[in-house]
Amino acid sequence: MVAVVCSCVRFRKCGSSMHGRRRPRRSCGRVGDRAEKFGEGEGIVMAGIEAAFADVVDQFADVLTEALCPPGESTPGGELARLCASPSTIGSDDDRILAMMVGLARVLNLSTTALSQVADVAERAGTRRRKRLKSPVELLKQLGVVPALAQRLVRVGQTARLMPGLMSRARVGGVPIEQTDAVARGIGFVEKRVPLDEEARADLVRRLSSQVTPKDVDNRARELAIEWAPAVDEADPDAVPVAENPELNEMTLMTGDDGRTMVSLDTDALSGEELRQALDPLCKPVLQPDGTQDPRSAGQRRADAHAQIIREYLAGRDRPTVSGGVLPHVSLIVPIERAGSAGSGTPSEASRVASLGFTGPVSSATVGLVVCEAAMRRVVMDADSAPLDVGREHRLVTAGLRKALEARDRGCAFPGCGRPVSWTDAHHCTPWSEGGDTAIDNCVLLCRMHHTVIHQTGWEVFIGHDRHPWFRPPLDPEHPERFREPIRSNARRTMTLEPTAAA
């Protein structure tokens, strides 16, 4: 008969030593009975461990919940909660604080590692398919796991068998899930570029595991892919070099917590050359109206050039459309306040913030930037966000008016710019939403950079007595009384402000 070691964690006391009451100890009898029932051998021990695991997790959760219980009028509160409420500032609690941090960090590492393994087990067992979910990530999301962590857990679970040494450390709480996931991604990155046998893969895992941070792991994986690739090319003269292989191209788009979109692009040499050729002429610095240097960094100019290329593509009639031949640049949803709801006295829970279709909520400044030159479709929604009426589409600036603006402004009208007309948007001096007409005496052509400047800074543009655009610089907060001298548009710039100088 094989001896059965009980896997139950016996919490003799609650995690809070201040409570002084003992939690009920679990008897080992149940495990022993199960061992007798299932017979002798290794399966007996495993059966006992599996049976007790859920109880262990529940007990730990109870202890942690009790430790986090805040102090109340009639209860002293948990030890951890009281420590958080009034920690010592002279160092007397340092040992306890550090011990708790070490223990909780280990528990965090252990729980995420275990969840990654169980997620892989659920996939192999068919649990996800029986729940009619599309992917293992969806299963974790249904359980309340955030998408980014769910993807990380699934990757680690699927790759665990390829890195047994690292997983042995992770199973004792020594490796965070972020580090394990970085190694898993590094293995995939290198294997796409270099064939690996078992020995080479083990060596790769060892090299990647020795890095300090996930970013270091990513960088080391790229270095090894480059370092090991030449040997493969020499062995097979017909092999496509890594730098020229389009099958390795990858691009990720991710919206951050602040609403900004982060792009990561890994492309072949030819596509990269074409991208540089497209960006290069659009990245040139643009002097300020007073002749000073362009304040944008090279990275900012490159990002603006990329945005200009995207807008040129979206404006093209030959590109694929979503439906019905309509060419939307962006989808902007602007909620409106229904008549009678403003003074009802009942607070509305509906959002009043406009949002873009992909990247979410945006400020009123961006709303104004979008609607200046856009084809709009009116959709009236009821209180439950159900469509009530869809109006016909209206283009704010007609083709004829656009031609007239091009003839007058000859490009971006902002002083000192002059970018070509193909780069410009039509801006309403008095916003269309505020009753401004779509007419040549209320519109001006601006490149996207200066269109943004007008909407998001104190610059003003108006049509002067000569029926041409004039610009007024922002108010100087240190000298609010100082007169803001109007500046002519770029097409009419001169060395003097005399009325007839630009006639």
Side-chain angles (χ1 to χ4, degrees), residues 310-496:
I310 297 299
R311 284 190 293 274
E312 290 288 336
Y313 168 75
L314 292 174
R317 284 285 167 184
D318 296 331
R319 72 175 178 86
T321 60
V322 178
S323 61
V326 180
L327 292 165
H329 286 212
V330 295
S331 297
L332 177 68
I333 302 170
V334 183
I336 60 174
E337 200 169 278
R338 296 177 59 198
S341 62
S344 62
T346 302
S348 173
E349 295 183 0
S351 173
R352 299 183 183 181
V353 179
S355 62
L356 294 170
F358 284 103
T359 52
V362 291
S363 66
S364 57
T366 298
V367 172
L369 184 64
V370 171
V371 301
C372 259
E373 184 179 64
M376 294 192 297
R377 177 178 290 117
R378 178 173 60 91
V379 181
V380 179
M381 315 287 280
D382 65 10
D384 298 320
S385 299
L388 296 177
D389 176 50
V390 179
R392 68 184 182 89
E393 190 174 38
H394 299 275
R395 185 166 294 279
L396 298 183
V397 176
T398 64
L401 177 57
R402 174 81 188 193
K403 292 295 183 184
L405 292 171
E406 291 174 359
R408 184 195 69 188
D409 297 339
R410 289 175 279 173
C412 177
F414 195 89
C417 183
R419 285 177 170 173
V421 293
S422 60
W423 293 17
T424 58
D425 303 333
H427 169 75
H428 287 68
C429 298
T430 301
W432 181 76
S433 59
E434 298 177 10
D437 295 331
T438 304
I440 194 168
D441 288 333
N442 190 46
C443 292
V444 58
L445 294 183
L446 297 170
C447 69
R448 179 52 62 97
M449 184 181 77
H450 290 117
H451 198 174
T452 304
V453 166
I454 293 295
H455 277 276
Q456 297 185 355
T457 68
W459 276 90
E460 298 176 10
V461 57
F462 61 94
I463 304 300
H465 63 282
D466 54 1
R467 300 187 67 191
H468 282 271
W470 288 75
F471 294 81
R472 188 176 287 116
L475 182 71
D476 185 353
E478 296 183 359
H479 305 282
E481 73 287 349
R482 180 176 294 172
F483 177 66
R484 295 188 292 161
E485 188 75 47
I487 306 173
R488 288 190 179 95
S489 64
N490 183 76
R492 302 177 73 242
R493 63 192 185 279
T494 65
M495 297 297 291
T496 175

Side-chain angles (χ1 to χ4, degrees), residues 108-118 167 170-171 175 177:
L108 178 62
N109 294 343
L110 282 170
S111 59
T112 49
T113 299
L115 186 54
S116 70
Q117 302 295 285
V118 176
M167 293 306 297
R171 283 192 291 269
V175 184
I177 192 69

Side-chain angles (χ1 to χ4, degrees), residues 7 26 31 46 48 68 88 124 254 289 291 295 342 348 367 382 431-432 436 477:
S7 63
R26 304 252 179 195
V31 179
M46 294 306 300
L68 288 169
S88 170
R124 289 189 282 115
M254 183 174 63
S348 173
V367 172
D382 65 10
W432 181 76

Side-chain angles (χ1 to χ4, degrees), residues 9-25 58-70 76-82 96 100:
V9 175
R10 300 173 182 171
F11 294 101
R12 296 182 180 273
K13 288 188 178 181
C14 167
S16 170
S17 61
M18 305 299 293
H19 288 185
R21 61 178 182 273
R22 297 176 179 271
R23 294 183 60 86
R25 294 180 58 182
D58 286 343
Q59 287 184 27
F60 174 75
D62 290 343
V63 170
L64 190 57
T65 299
E66 194 168 310
L68 288 169
C69 181
E79 180 183 10
L80 182 55
R82 288 186 290 103
R96 284 199 302 162
M100 287 182 179

